[in-house]
Amino acid sequence: MELATSAKSLTKDTADFAKSAVMTKLFKAPTSESAILWGLLHIKIVRCKNLRNLDKLGLKSLIVKRKKDLSDPYVTAWLEDYRLLKTRFVDDDLDPVFDEEFYCPVAHVTEGIKFKVKDKDVVKDESLGTYFLPVQELIQMNEDGDLQRVGVHKVVYLDGKKSHGSLEFFVEFLPVRMLAHTMEVPGVYFKQTKGNDVKLYMNADDDGSAPIVTYGEDAKVWKPPRLWRGIYDSIFNAKDF
């Protein structure tokens, strides 16, 4: 009985130790430069400009002969060793436009977000540059000490060097207190409502040039709804704003 009890206690201690190790990794004690990000990160990678060309003398240029032989950039973002996102790569472009958005649930103690721009290659992807966004730029509190919603839009030089090109991005931090229990629509933190009326519009407005469409046995003529007229009527007839 004592042996069984000891084995059970040892198993519990092992499980507690493993749980503690995981929690310590995620929620390690903040330092003066770190803070807890608990909530949702909305990140948009907009574009890069004037990137360096690493393919000019690379292995790919020796294997594949092409008219253009430029870097094939893509972007990743990290919280310590946790990867938040990875964009698609853009083939042969030193001024790539990504326009990709990501919604990343987070619960980490971190010093900030590290953006890495890399050149996709045959053997090993090469670094085109990095930028570090300190977490303190995403932390703001109101008079009651509650974390606020914060958005940051930046155009920055990679590695702090103009010759390495620039990265444009947007980062928004939504604290967990502002999030609903479940997010039916990613990035929308308002509570879900029911009983809403929805009207679908094919075009912003119909100037009479749309083709005549008939339907039903008595050949009724379909009249497309008019978006701008609908907005005007809704505002004009509204009782409350």
Side-chain angles (χ1 to χ4, degrees), residues 195-226:
N196 302 296
D197 292 327
V198 177
K199 183 181 290 185
L200 301 179
Y201 296 91
M202 177 178 285
N203 299 306
D205 203 359
D206 177 45
D207 59 1
S209 61
I212 298 176
V213 179
T214 59
Y215 63 96
E217 296 179 357
D218 51 354
K220 294 181 180 179
V221 177
W222 178 73
K223 294 183 179 180
R226 301 177 62 187

Side-chain angles (χ1 to χ4, degrees), residues 115-128:
F115 295 90
K116 299 180 181 180
V117 182
K118 288 193 171 185
D119 171 33
K120 183 175 177 61
D121 215 334
V122 177
V123 178
K124 183 180 180 181
D125 296 351
E126 298 179 273
S127 176
L128 289 166

Side-chain angles (χ1 to χ4, degrees), residues 47-52 93-98 155-158 161-168:
R47 65 182 303 170
C48 294
K49 293 186 69 175
N50 301 319
L51 296 176
R52 293 174 293 160
D93 199 336
L94 301 182
D95 301 295
V97 177
F98 298 100
V155 180
V156 298
Y157 290 130
L158 297 172
K161 300 177 180 179
K162 185 177 181 180
S163 60
H164 286 195
S166 64
L167 167 67
E168 181 179 358

Side-chain angles (χ1 to χ4, degrees), residues 130-173:
T130 63
Y131 175 76
F132 185 76
L133 178 68
V135 69
Q136 300 302 334
E137 294 192 29
L138 299 174
I139 300 297
Q140 291 184 13
M141 296 185 180
N142 59 19
E143 296 178 353
D144 297 326
D146 294 325
L147 287 173
Q148 296 289 87
R149 175 186 180 186
V150 177
V152 176
H153 174 250
K154 284 194 170 189
V155 180
V156 298
Y157 290 130
L158 297 172
D159 303 322
K161 300 177 180 179
K162 185 177 181 180
S163 60
H164 286 195
S166 64
L167 167 67
E168 181 179 358
F169 64 86
F170 170 78
V171 177
E172 180 182 30
F173 173 55

Side-chain angles (χ1 to χ4, degrees), residues 2-16:
E2 292 181 0
L3 182 60
T5 302
S6 299
K8 183 177 180 181
S9 175
L10 181 61
T11 302
K12 183 178 182 301
D13 291 342
T14 303
D16 290 342

